[in-house]
Amino acid sequence: MGAFTSVDIGADGRGLISYYADSNGDLKVAHCSNEHCSAATVSTIDSNGDVGRYSSIAIGADGLGLISYYDNSGGDLRVAHCSNITCTAANTATVDSTGNVGRFGSITIGSDGLGLISYYNQTSGDLMVAHCANAACATAATATLDSADDVGQYTSLSIGADGLGLVAYYDATHAVLKVAHCIDLACSGATAVTLDGAANVGAYAAVTVGVDGLPLVSYFRDTGDSLM
């Protein structure tokens, strides 16, 4: 238990954790019983095949959890929309099933109140994004943000001070750290740049936006085994 974890603070002020159960290949959620999370209520959200890897959770504008995750059995990107604050049950949907897609997913809630998911298309080696059409993300519009060589692993997504999505990710072909800045709320396209072009950098990226409105990215440098 506990691989591919992601945590957010729910509308009730308590932690909500999504994770993968390796023993049976399920997506699970733990709702903390108190602010210290010394106890939690655990629920299985999806057990249809081998599902739940690369889980990422955000709290939607409706106050309910929205989880993106990878369906290893079908090679699809899936989402689960919690039915209640404690997420004891959820409605699930396939967001993208074109090729082998959904690894390295990261979800956030956009300025329009809808889910935005960055992920990797392993079939084409591209960085992808899905913009949810509604709170439950029953349907979504997908777009390719970067298709130059093999890009899009280790994605991390945040919303910038300008209200637009910003994705940090790894360029596996050149072993560098890149970022993609969405051109609109739906992220139908993006401007991609290399943020750190030193050798062997950019894996395990995480991005957030500071109080100065500027993005801050943490990542791994393989040469020297360093945190950058």
Side-chain angles (χ1 to χ4, degrees), residues 3 28 32 52 85-86 97 102 105 122 137 143 152 163 178 183 186 207 210 227:
K28 304 191 79 171
C32 298
I85 289 178
T86 57
S97 59
Q122 184 172 320
C137 204
K178 299 186 75 174
I183 62 173
V207 64
L227 170 67

Side-chain angles (χ1 to χ4, degrees), residues 14-30:
R14 295 178 180 178
L16 196 64
I17 308 166
S18 62
Y19 61 101
Y20 175 66
D22 185 69
S23 57
N24 50 19
D26 292 346
L27 171 68
K28 304 191 79 171
V29 164

Side-chain angles (χ1 to χ4, degrees), residues 204-219:
Y204 310 104
V207 64
T208 191
V209 177
V211 294
D212 58 0
L214 300 177
L216 188 66
V217 186
S218 61
Y219 56 101

Side-chain angles (χ1 to χ4, degrees), residues 6-218:
S6 180
V7 66
D8 204 349
I9 303 301
D12 59 359
R14 295 178 180 178
L16 196 64
I17 308 166
S18 62
Y19 61 101
Y20 175 66
D22 185 69
S23 57
N24 50 19
D26 292 346
L27 171 68
K28 304 191 79 171
V29 164
H31 176 255
C32 298
S33 301
N34 50 55
E35 63 180 11
H36 304 293
C37 206
S38 57
T41 300
V42 173
S43 303
T44 298
I45 299 302
D46 192 349
S47 58
N48 186 19
D50 183 359
V51 292
R53 303 184 192 203
Y54 304 102
S55 84
S56 180
I57 191 168
I59 305 301
D62 58 3
L64 302 177
L66 188 65
I67 308 165
S68 66
Y69 58 101
Y70 177 62
D71 178 348
N72 190 56
S73 296
D76 301 335
L77 172 67
R78 291 181 59 80
V79 295
H81 180 244
C82 298
S83 302
N84 48 50
I85 289 178
T86 57
C87 202
T88 55
N91 294 313
T92 63
T94 298
V95 172
D96 192 352
S97 59
T98 304
N100 191 334
V101 293
R103 285 183 168 94
F104 304 105
S106 178
I107 191 170
T108 191
I109 305 301
S111 303
D112 56 3
L114 300 175
L116 194 64
I117 309 165
S118 60
Y119 59 101
Y120 176 58
N121 184 328
Q122 184 172 320
T123 301
S124 59
D126 296 342
L127 171 67
M128 304 284 295
V129 73
H131 179 247
C132 299
N134 49 49
C137 204
T139 59
T142 63
T144 300
L145 299 188
D146 192 351
S147 58
D149 303 308
D150 185 1
V151 293
Q153 297 179 38
Y154 305 106
T155 80
S156 180
L157 174 63
S158 189
I159 303 299
D162 58 1
L164 303 178
L166 187 73
V167 188
Y169 59 102
Y170 180 60
D171 178 339
T173 299
H174 303 99
V176 297
L177 173 70
K178 299 186 75 174
V179 294
H181 180 241
C182 298
I183 62 173
D184 52 31
L185 291 180
C187 204
S188 59
T191 302
V193 298
T194 298
L195 195 61
D196 188 343
N200 301 316
V201 296
Y204 310 104
V207 64
T208 191
V209 177
V211 294
D212 58 0
L214 300 177
L216 188 66
V217 186
S218 61

